[in-house]
Amino acid sequence: MTYEAEISRTNPSLILFLIDQSRSMSHKLPGGERSKAQEAADAINRQIGDFVLRCTKSDGIRDYFYLGVIGYGYVTGKAGSILKGDLIHPISELAGMPLRTEKRKMKVSDGSGGDIEVDYDFGVWFDPIANGDTPMCKGLSIARDAIKDWIEEHPSSYPPILINITDGQATDGNPEDIIKEIQGLKTTDGDTLVWNCHLSSNPSTPVSFPSEETDIPNDKYAISLFGVSSVLPSQYVGYAREMQIDLKDNARAYVFNAQLEQLVEFIDIGTRGPQGQMQ
Amino acid sequence: MLSVREFHRPKSGYRESEYEDAFSLDAEGGKFAVADGATESSFSNIWARALVSTFVANPPPLDMNDRQSVKNLLDEARRKWYAEIEWTSLPWFQKNKAVLGSYSTFLGLQVDSPVNPRRYRCITIGDSCLFHLSGPKMESFPFSDYRDLNYTPRLMWSGHGYPIGLSKDVEPPGLEVKYGKIKDGDTLILATDAISKWMLQNKATKPWQQVLENAENWDSYIGNLISSGAMKNDDITAIFISVS
């Protein structure tokens, strides 16, 4: 069986986020109040905070995960880490290095069926940028090299997960070959998983986790990204169904025309597998 | 007389300070408890310890209503748990989690005054188990089939941490209670989930005897069971009580 390795401090797992920072990310994301760049940054920052929370124990933070965020298009033709310092950070290091924390409200259960609102500190590790073109291939190449190095050092870890969030077409070539190369990087527990979230530019119906090419509109770029999105391992199909998402057993890790709800849902499901394997 | 042997160890590869089970016992007073703090929550080791120490230090009268007994335990243990944590000096990410409170299973056993047979009451929330060995018979509570330990257990919640704190009352979760009698020669075992599951799965071969036979090298014996995959790599706690 694959995607079942236990994640521990001696056998941690790698999660990489890849985020489009091209100019068109300044457009408003349907379903949200703010731009695609802002909503995507918020969703990833929230997810990093969630990883920190899950790894926090009474005696501190346990490094079950290593995380990185790669941006592409913050300057035309450029791609690279958008976190301070190294490309990949152990989760304990990330906990100590947010750019800032913001006071936000969260609802917590009151233990008797209701909710209580309480202040909490929302960690911000990077700010949204929407500036240049879409050098996705460059971003993917950086991710590929990092994943290759990671697997050499952690050959039996839970397979790395790469989550790519974009609203456009790569301006520096065809990303298919690099993505296939990344998917071919494997640990003893399975292939690297590549998740592609295609953000919406219009309010038409999103398509989450399609299984056939005919499930998505006849859009060359969408078909290309769909074709190189990983087929969901059965555990993830289960998580999606628990969230009332209707999908087939051979669904792919792809969302076409994602609005805010689908973006958040996509990241939640994409990170749920490794979180469930924490020892 | 109640003779007691207690075994505990953290997960293989973990430090003693990372052990999140807890136990407390008073053999003379016939009071015993084990708890398994939930790894997912913060300070669950402190919560598990607060539950077992409160139960053993201040057990409810045996004739007190079961639910009221647990409610009293919960109220007192919550105060102990809350007082032990330095809430305001926690780093921001720890505060975010600590406000959600801590979770733990609990199993408490009270044995009545020394007459033969002696009465006992066992109260449990979650998947820690009580085994009663009497001659060739073995009874286990609350589970008799190891497959029942595959599910997320019911847990005792501490209530919220700072800044909500103890201001809101917390009701005990659903609990299970067993009343029984023990006679000279019987053995009772309190055990947290991983070793309970292993004993139930192998009950035909009386694994509790193997545990006692390996009492002197218990840590490596359990370590080998874990590394061979026979037992889940988890915190392990067991209290063996022999009646004579």
Side-chain angles (χ1 to χ4, degrees):
Chain A
M1 291 291 283
T2 50
Y3 306 101
E4 290 200 328
E6 282 194 340
I7 296 173
S8 63
R9 281 167 291 186
T10 50
N11 198 29
S13 189
L14 172 68
I15 313 287
L16 282 181
F17 293 98
L18 205 56
I19 182 168
D20 184 343
Q21 296 186 307
S22 62
R23 185 180 300 275
S24 57
M25 290 289 283
S26 62
H27 301 164
K28 186 171 172 263
L29 182 67
E33 296 296 317
R34 300 173 298 167
S35 72
K36 295 174 189 176
Q38 285 172 314
E39 296 291 7
D42 215 60
I44 296 174
N45 278 316
R46 183 178 296 112
Q47 199 56 236
I48 297 173
D50 196 47
F51 272 106
V52 169
L53 204 68
R54 285 173 186 275
C55 296
T56 298
K57 305 294 168 189
S58 317
D59 55 348
I61 297 187
R62 297 185 187 169
D63 284 328
Y64 295 114
F65 295 99
Y66 284 63
L67 261 65
V69 185
I70 298 165
Y72 51 90
Y74 47 90
V75 171
T76 293
K78 295 266 187 195
S81 172
I82 53 173
L83 300 180
K84 282 188 291 186
D86 296 338
L87 173 58
I88 292 171
H89 300 265
I91 200 77
S92 61
E93 194 175 287
L94 281 174
M97 54 172 271
L99 296 178
R100 62 182 180 280
T101 60
E102 296 173 354
K103 284 281 177 221
R104 296 205 183 177
K105 299 270 185 203
M106 70 172 166
K107 282 186 176 163
V108 298
S109 162
D110 67 0
S112 47
D115 290 321
I116 304 177
E117 211 168 60
V118 62
D119 282 336
Y120 80 106
D121 291 310
F122 181 87
V124 177
W125 283 268
F126 69 95
D127 283 313
I129 296 176
N131 188 41
D133 58 349
T134 312
M136 192 190 301
C137 296
K138 196 169 271 183
L140 284 164
S141 304
I142 294 168
R144 175 199 57 204
D145 295 345
I147 292 169
K148 206 182 269 182
D149 291 347
W150 169 267
I151 291 179
E152 268 178 31
E153 286 174 31
H154 304 86
S156 57
S157 65
Y158 188 94
I161 294 175
L162 173 65
I163 297 179
N164 178 29
I165 297 167
T166 179
D167 79 332
Q169 189 173 339
T171 50
D172 61 347
N174 184 342
E176 287 180 32
D177 288 345
I178 307 174
I179 294 180
K180 282 181 191 162
E181 211 184 318
I182 293 172
Q183 286 168 329
L185 301 171
K186 54 185 78 184
T187 72
T188 54
D189 193 47
D191 299 341
T192 298
L193 294 174
V194 179
W195 293 59
N196 287 302
C197 183
H198 191 167
L199 296 179
S200 174
S201 296
N202 62 61
S204 64
T205 312
V207 183
S208 292
F209 305 108
S211 53
E212 308 291 341
E213 206 173 284
T214 49
D215 293 342
I216 50 176
N218 188 18
D219 173 304
K220 187 178 145 200
Y221 176 63
I223 289 169
S224 163
L225 268 190
F226 162 78
V228 289
S229 297
S230 298
V231 173
L232 289 181
S234 58
Q235 296 93 327
Y236 292 81
V237 172
Y239 301 144
R241 286 184 178 145
E242 276 173 24
M243 293 172 74
Q244 313 298 323
I245 297 170
D246 185 20
L247 76 175
K248 294 190 180 138
D249 287 345
N250 59 342
R252 285 181 187 257
Y254 177 67
V255 184
F256 175 72
N257 209 27
Q259 301 182 10
L260 180 62
E261 185 187 336
Q262 288 77 34
L263 167 69
V264 171
E265 202 171 70
F266 188 77
I267 294 176
D268 276 353
I269 295 171
T271 51
R272 176 94 181 268
Q275 286 172 348
Q277 294 305 110
M278 284 165 59
Q279 194 183 68
Chain B
M1 194 173 87
L2 302 178
S3 312
V4 178
R5 292 199 86 131
E6 166 276 315
F7 304 107
H8 75 277
R9 79 194 290 279
K11 293 183 183 83
S12 289
Y14 283 61
R15 296 185 291 268
E16 179 73 24
S17 62
E18 294 169 338
Y19 169 75
E20 289 171 322
D21 279 1
F23 64 91
S24 184
L25 58 92
D26 169 4
E28 214 165 290
K31 298 168 291 183
F32 309 87
V34 296
D36 176 359
T39 305
E40 295 75 21
S41 60
S42 280
F43 302 116
S44 49
N45 54 343
I46 296 176
W47 176 229
R49 284 202 303 268
L51 286 167
V52 296
S53 63
T54 302
F55 181 81
V56 168
N58 191 18
L62 264 174
D63 57 357
M64 181 185 270
N65 168 284
D66 302 326
R67 194 166 175 79
Q68 188 57 49
S69 301
V70 174
K71 175 66 176 149
N72 292 356
L73 165 68
L74 183 59
D75 291 346
E76 181 56 34
R78 285 182 69 204
R79 282 193 285 274
K80 205 181 266 190
W81 166 81
Y82 197 81
E84 207 172 312
I85 299 164
E86 290 180 28
W87 300 98
T88 51
S89 62
L90 297 175
W92 67 275
F93 50 85
Q94 221 158 6
K95 276 183 195 158
N96 283 353
K97 187 161 189 174
V99 67
L100 304 174
S102 307
Y103 292 84
S104 177
T105 68
F106 172 78
L107 186 145
L109 173 74
Q110 290 168 270
V111 182
D112 206 354
S113 53
V115 289
N116 191 14
R118 299 171 76 159
R119 284 193 313 148
Y120 70 82
R121 173 169 72 171
C122 177
I123 297 177
T124 186
I125 292 117
D127 55 7
S128 292
C129 292
L130 174 74
F131 295 81
H132 181 180
L133 316 177
S134 186
K137 280 195 342 192
M138 187 281 283
E139 273 183 43
S140 58
F141 168 77
F143 301 121
S144 55
D145 186 327
Y146 74 91
R147 286 167 291 205
D148 291 333
L149 280 104
N150 289 341
Y151 302 101
T152 307
R154 202 173 273 163
L155 297 163
M156 292 270 271
W157 181 44
S158 63
H160 297 106
Y162 178 85
I164 300 172
L166 302 174
S167 58
K168 280 194 74 76
D169 194 36
V170 173
E171 280 301 312
L175 51 112
E176 291 178 84
V177 184
K178 179 181 170 64
Y179 287 85
K181 285 180 181 170
I182 43 172
K183 59 181 192 310
D184 291 354
D186 286 1
T187 300
L188 292 168
I189 308 166
L190 287 71
T192 50
D193 60 332
I195 188 167
S196 291
K197 185 175 178 181
W198 172 75
M199 291 202 289
L200 286 173
Q201 198 164 2
N202 299 284
K203 58 187 170 190
T205 60
K206 302 192 172 170
W208 39 87
Q209 287 180 353
Q210 296 160 37
V211 174
L212 284 172
E213 282 163 16
N214 286 281
E216 298 311 315
N217 59 344
W218 150 266
D219 195 64
S220 62
Y221 175 69
I222 295 291
N224 288 338
L225 287 170
I226 288 172
S227 55
S228 71
M231 192 183 289
K232 185 184 168 196
N233 189 16
D234 201 350
D235 292 341
I236 306 284
T237 306
I239 302 174
F240 284 67
I241 308 158
S242 306
V243 188
S244 58

